[in-house]
Amino acid sequence: MAFVTTAAEAVARIAYLSSDVILSIQPALSTHSDFSKHLHSYSTNRLPGLVAKETPEVIAIRHNVDPLLSAFQPLRSGKLVSATTSSSILLPSVPHLYKLAQYPIVLHVALHPLNSADYSEITAIRQLGFVFLHSETLQEAQDIALSAHALAIRSGKGVIHFFDPANSARDHPIEAENRDLVGEILHLDSARATQLRKDESASLYVDDGRRATVTEENAQSPTEGPSESGSATVAPRETTTEKSSTEGASSVGSSVRQSSVDSGQTISSATSVDSTITRPVTSDDIYDCIISIWAQIARATERVYRAFEYTGPDDSESALFVFGSTGLFVDELREPSSADEFAKFGLITARLYRPWIGYRLSQLLPDSIRRIAVLEQIRKKTTKWGPVLLDILTSLRSGPTANNSLLIVGHQLGYIEPATVRQAIRGIFQNLSSPTPVQNLEVGSSERPPQSSRQYALTQPKVENAYMKILDQVFGERLHVANRLDAAHAGISATIAASPEFGFGSLLARHEHRRRFIGEVQTAAATRDFVTDIPQSWLSKWALSAEDAQKANLVAPDVISRLSNDGSRLASTLLESKSLFFKESQWLIGSDAWAYDLGNSGVHHVIASGANVNMLIIDSQPWSERAAADEARRKKDIGLYAMHFGNAYVASVAVYSSYTQVLEAMIEADQFDGPSVVVAYLPYHKEDDSPLTVLQETKKAVDLGYWPLYRWNPTKEENGDPNFSLDSERIKQELEEFLRRDNHLTQLMNRHPKFAANLSESYGTEVRALQKRKAKDAYNTLLESLYGAPLTILFASDNGNAESLAKRLGSRGKARGLKTMVMAMDDYPLEDLPTEENVVMLTSTAGQGEFPQNGRAFWDAVKDTTDIDLSQVRYAVFALGDSHYWPRKEDKIYYNKPGKDLDARIAFLGGKRLAGVGLGDDQDPDSYQTGYAEWEPKLWQALGVDNVEGLPEEPPPITNEDIKIESNFLRGTIAEGLADTSTGAISASDSQLTKFHGTYMQDDRDLRDERKAQGLEPAYAFMIRCRLNGGVATPSQWLQMDSISSSYGNETMKLTTRQTFQFHGVVKSKLKSAMRGINKALMTTIAACGDVNRNIMVSPLPTRSAFHRDVHQVSARISDHLLPSTTAYHEIWLKDDDSSDEKQTKVAGDAIVDQEPLYGPTYLPRKFKITIAVPPHNDTDVYAHDIGLIAIKDASGKRLEGFNVLVGGGMGVTHNNKKTYPRTGSMLGYFPASQIHLVCEKIMLVQRDHGDRKNRKHARLKYTIDDMGVDVFRSKVEDLLGDTFKEPRPFEFKSNIDTFGWQKDEFGMNHFLMFIENGRVEDTPEFSMKTGLREIAKVHKGDFRLTPNQHLCLSGVPDAELDTIKGMLKQYKLDNLHFSGLRLSSSACVAFPTCGLAMAESERYLPELITKLEGCLEENGLRQDSIVMRMTGCPNGCARPWLAEVAFVGKAYGAYNMYLGGGYHGQRLNKLYRSSIGEEEILGIMKPLLRRYAAEREEGERFGDFVIRIGMIKPTREGKAFHEDVAEEESDGE
């Protein structure tokens, strides 16, 4: 049996069982209320309710965002709604409460502040039409909460259940509610009927006339539950008296003014005997209904409840009526020692506060009562007489039962210490017994005990610090935030001080103070009261520019200095206000709570005033929640609201979208003379959300136009400039309409034709539906002219396999005479499915047995539908998956789960199988084709087309080799694709060719689902990778790269693991401009990707510049020697369209004469990578590449002599495909440096001629060598060279990480190697890294060396410039190296959101994971220890994870394979330890392992060696053994 310990828990349990929707109103989304921790636990565990058809929905809402607005939409949809809240929201919600009172909503209100509850919020809203129920003990909280829900269901009225949590804090635990009893009391049939009633009203702010009504059949006894008309029918009235155990009759007791509902009877004089009467619910109905409910509870539990409760002897002469926390009084009156002293004393409380059934109180009291002390626990007293005192006076001193001899004395109940309760009761008795009792006598202290108030202090969410930091950075000491939370305002509560009204008022006072000060300065400048004339001239100069911030702040220090030197009395007087010489940047900071009606008035005042005040309003509603939000909630678009005034500067910004635009907006707002409104987007679900979550939500909102980025300056048109500047590519409809009305949209579209389509269209789900319908109708029209049976083929595909298979099946069906139609599942209108004759569905498997992205909506609809009949549909399903992908036995259900689920669901809906579900398995000899080859003939047989003769031969599938050979030396149709403005993409074949040009087409995967839902194509953009030999760039090149990233990319640069620059987010229209910008910097992108030799890597060597120069020269020679010769790059990217450049000579029609002497027309089978390492540093991971060159010094030890040559390294793997594996390079031997470029050429040529061109997963050099054998391969290279390899020279590697900090080379030059986490160069509010490096590049005269570990070396700093550079590094925090050894040794690839191959997060997640491990490192003394940890989003190995001591390789979103045992020097591969584990399991493995490493390691033992020594993992001796002896054996598939 479960037990309940607090009133809030008891209430939360009842609310969860009794509601469809629970609004959990909290101080902050990350801060639990008294109720929310319980509610969210039930919801997270998906516990069933009694009323909800599915799991009850718990909606967390911040208390300051008009929370009760969220109740209207579900109430009008027929849902039963409750809210759990503190009393603080009641008064601000008055405009909504009077309407909500007419709906069956229950508000559970915990009175605050804790231990000193204020009941004035309850009395203040007593006339709004709600029923009010009060509970005092823990058991009462459970029973009264249940009563409230039952009453709301039966009466249709809103009920407020209020209680003081502290009053029952010391109660013993009670048994949890009995579900059967709860269901009986709620009367579930009545609840179901209530759920069927829906209200189509749309207005929230106008009384729609809704009233809770009751329907009675004339001359018949009504029954509980709603009638067919939808009105409530209440229980019949009983005739027993209040004092009986089951109470009954009632009267109108109180006046209309005092009652919360109409207490009169509604009588129809024109009804027949058989008619029904529908009338408003009266107070009598409410009373009868609650008495009926309490009677049920009494029969089941023997716990009796009444409208008024009296405790005490029947012959009492005095009584206490307590409207407040009664716990202390009850305890004291029950105390045995008090028996004699308080023997004639009774205690009265109100269980049913509204409607106030006054005469029931008079019936309840013993006839002996002569005196009543009314104690009201009301802190905010607004009238002389308390509201409860007036109720009691009206009930007992007026009407037919009036007792004029009864003495009633009001008291104000304050805070009473437990030790003084008896004294307080004595004082009340004494006052009652006095001949002249004092009215409104205060009992206890009016001061709230400081230790007892568990109030939730207003705090700025941590995630919002981003904007505050930017304000601090931009304005520094000039910044003044009028309503900042940490400011001290004497006598003003933090809530009021944080409001816009208060902040605005304080700023107006501040303006006035400075205006008077300027007048005083002007007067002083005209006097002769200074010792010298110097202050006068400076004061005059300052006064002329006092309102110009830049000029005034420039002059102010000099003015203050002159006044300080003067020493006169007038100078001293002015210096008392010296801060006013500076013109502040004054701001009000607010949240989106200001966007609702109840918070918008202050915003209106500021804008309408025209005062020079800046407002920063942070909107935190995530894009993903906007669809679920109540559409009728009038959350204002403050930016649009301000623009309508025409006198305000307005900007809409998002720091996680454009940091630069935020800076521009804040500076412009400060400079604008008038009100400025900067509306800033910072979406979060909880205040402690990670930056990654905020980033993803921001991108969706900005990309889809929900949060457009713009700036509006109404003064610009005075200079002929446009008022409106659009900083993003899409705007929402409301803003579009405003601009059109203002005649700006046309101008804007003319200036930005590339944005025209985005500006002139509004998207929605209806667009998507229309697209589906048009596509289907077009297919039908096409098929009408064909003969044969129809065959509809639907596919869901992530990687293209299912799509290709579906299209091939469609072609084969046509060849057999069928009318085939092939569509993605999500493009198919589901309502047409019952009309199909034959349907075939093919789906691959994503994530943890999930549908691919373009089939999820289809599956969700099929899964949830119950009203489609597929009995006339014949169908078949083929599924593609990998039986080894989820190795653990419990995860085997994920194998081909989408296909199996779809097959079962279609059969359940009546479909008839053409063939059993086919299962394609990547583990079969021919992958999924093995299972498909068995399944397809069965399909043709079932369709009766299996014996068709004369079928044409199918063309073989187009391969990468076909694309290359047909590309005309990498031209393809790239130029035509770039010119096509109808799409942001290029063709699939061209996207393969652009890789050779250094650019990949990608799309933003954070936005895929949302854009699809909006009917948009994916957010296509391109990644550009530069070719930067050896990773060395000049300062001017750095500046050019910085400019390109800001002008054409996403304002960030990526320093890659291949020692070069990478740009993301370059849209197609900017691609050519970006390429030309790179060329302008004397750099290129040719062969940075593709099946060619790529960027050559070189150790940075900051301490040995001469040797670095030698090695770098060799790398340049190799790079130039192996560069492709095609002129396509110049033609496509660099030559102007109308260029007068000499055209290529054409022969034989349009064929361009071009050649590739090294590569030939098909180039290499796969990519080819070369790296150079200089012992003892293996920072380039020399073993991981196709060619690894180990530099060997000459006899002097200072210059380069030659290289040891490694071949056959490679990192690419496919999960669970044991035919693929990583490999470390094999030693061929030594060769002199002068001939090494030829050695590289011949190795590449052997790979060109012998590499596998049929299977790209087997095409890398590592497989060629393993197939051929190292000796055979060496001999072929030597044959081409005409020379032989010499014995390798001795060498030793000691590390493969970077050496951070300042270092000096042999020439006395200084080098600083700085930490750049995962190579991402960007500006954030916390760290202006990009800006800092830009400023350094403007003064630095050396070079920038990018490291293979994604860091940066500032090289060649002479001693004369050292202090300058150090100062700049410190200024921008670039000199910070106080990171853990684990973080300094980490590396991650890009992964989400741009990489199309990513299965999981990497760059955005690894820093978070390390943060969660650093506490353990610190505890165990490992903070400074280097442990090489790497993470990739897929198994292709861009961050070279297979060589790390510990690696995490993405397998599905949030799931990683964990590898252990790599060599610290990069010389040994690691091995699988655990498969498909999430963060919890990762931390559960790593933390104990790190503790064990700290305790058990041997002297100098590295982590990778340690895990092998203790037997956790077996060492990997060679690549082919990578999958052997793994710690977690992969089990067989099904």
Side-chain angles (χ1 to χ4, degrees), residues 529-532 535 561-572 575:
D529 294 340
F530 294 106
V531 174
T532 67
S561 174
R562 280 14 180 230
L563 289 174
S564 300
N565 294 335
D566 185 79
S568 64
R569 178 177 296 179
L570 180 56
S572 299
L575 286 173

Side-chain angles (χ1 to χ4, degrees), residues 1360-1426:
E1361 298 174 9
L1362 191 58
D1363 290 342
T1364 300
I1365 298 297
K1366 282 185 175 181
M1368 296 182 76
L1369 289 171
K1370 183 176 182 180
Q1371 177 185 352
Y1372 293 102
K1373 304 178 186 176
L1374 292 165
D1375 61 346
N1376 182 17
L1377 298 175
H1378 299 296
F1379 301 101
S1380 67
L1382 180 63
R1383 192 176 294 274
L1384 292 172
S1385 307
S1386 65
S1387 184
C1389 69
V1390 175
F1392 283 107
T1394 52
C1395 179
L1397 300 175
M1399 302 172 182
E1401 292 284 359
S1402 180
E1403 178 191 327
R1404 300 192 299 191
Y1405 173 58
L1406 181 59
E1408 291 184 24
L1409 179 63
I1410 292 174
T1411 297
K1412 293 175 181 179
L1413 289 171
E1414 283 176 327
C1416 179
L1417 294 171
E1418 192 82 48
E1419 291 169 6
N1420 292 279
L1422 296 174
R1423 177 174 174 79
Q1424 303 304 323
D1425 288 70
S1426 173

Side-chain angles (χ1 to χ4, degrees), residues 412-630:
Q412 298 299 316
L413 181 58
Y415 174 72
I416 301 176
E417 290 283 352
T420 63
V421 176
R422 182 172 300 187
Q423 181 181 342
I425 297 176
R426 287 182 186 137
I428 296 169
F429 275 145
Q430 291 171 5
N431 189 46
L432 273 178
S433 303
S434 171
T436 56
V438 177
Q439 289 285 357
N440 289 326
L441 179 68
E442 187 169 316
V443 179
S445 172
S446 61
E447 295 297 322
R448 188 178 303 160
Q451 76 281 5
S452 66
S453 177
R454 200 190 77 187
Q455 289 286 40
Y456 300 105
L458 282 174
T459 57
Q460 182 178 30
K462 182 179 178 182
V463 71
E464 292 183 6
N465 288 341
Y467 288 107
M468 292 304 300
K469 287 181 179 179
I470 294 175
L471 283 174
D472 286 331
Q473 289 173 5
V474 173
F475 302 113
E477 294 182 356
R478 286 186 55 219
L479 178 66
H480 173 75
V481 178
N483 61 338
R484 70 185 314 143
L485 295 176
D486 55 358
H489 300 283
I492 304 296
S493 73
T495 302
I496 295 174
S499 68
E501 294 90 343
F502 179 87
F504 180 46
S506 69
L507 285 181
L508 291 181
R510 205 170 181 88
H511 286 170
E512 179 60 23
H513 187 188
R514 190 167 189 272
R515 187 188 63 78
R516 289 197 305 269
F517 181 73
I518 294 172
E520 292 170 4
V521 169
Q522 291 171 338
T523 302
T527 68
R528 298 287 181 179
D529 294 340
F530 294 106
V531 174
T532 67
D533 294 337
I534 296 176
Q536 291 172 288
S537 60
W538 280 98
L539 289 172
S540 299
K541 184 178 180 180
W542 179 86
L544 290 173
S545 58
E547 295 297 340
D548 186 319
Q550 185 175 1
K551 294 180 180 178
N553 294 336
L554 185 64
V555 174
D558 290 321
V559 174
I560 294 171
S561 174
R562 280 14 180 230
L563 289 174
S564 300
N565 294 335
D566 185 79
S568 64
R569 178 177 296 179
L570 180 56
S572 299
T573 301
L574 292 175
L575 286 173
E576 290 175 0
S577 303
K578 65 181 179 181
S579 62
L580 296 177
F581 282 111
F582 296 91
K583 183 170 175 56
E584 297 171 329
S585 179
Q586 297 177 334
W587 291 80
L588 290 172
I589 312 294
S591 70
D592 53 356
W594 292 7
Y596 297 98
D597 276 356
L598 301 186
N600 192 243
S601 58
V603 176
H604 169 84
H605 291 325
V606 173
I607 299 172
S609 72
N612 188 11
V613 174
N614 305 312
M615 284 190 291
L616 174 67
I617 300 173
I618 300 173
D619 192 307
S620 59
Q621 184 181 40
W623 155 255
S624 61
E625 290 182 1
R626 95 275 168 233
D630 183 357

Side-chain angles (χ1 to χ4, degrees), residues 1119-1153:
S1119 180
D1120 293 342
H1121 185 66
L1122 301 182
L1123 202 64
S1125 300
T1126 178
T1127 59
Y1129 184 86
H1130 180 269
E1131 293 170 20
I1132 294 170
W1133 306 109
L1134 306 181
K1135 191 170 69 174
D1136 293 332
D1137 295 335
D1138 57 352
S1139 173
S1140 59
D1141 291 353
E1142 182 180 349
K1143 292 185 177 181
Q1144 290 281 348
T1145 304
K1146 295 183 179 181
V1147 296
D1150 289 334
I1152 295 176
V1153 177

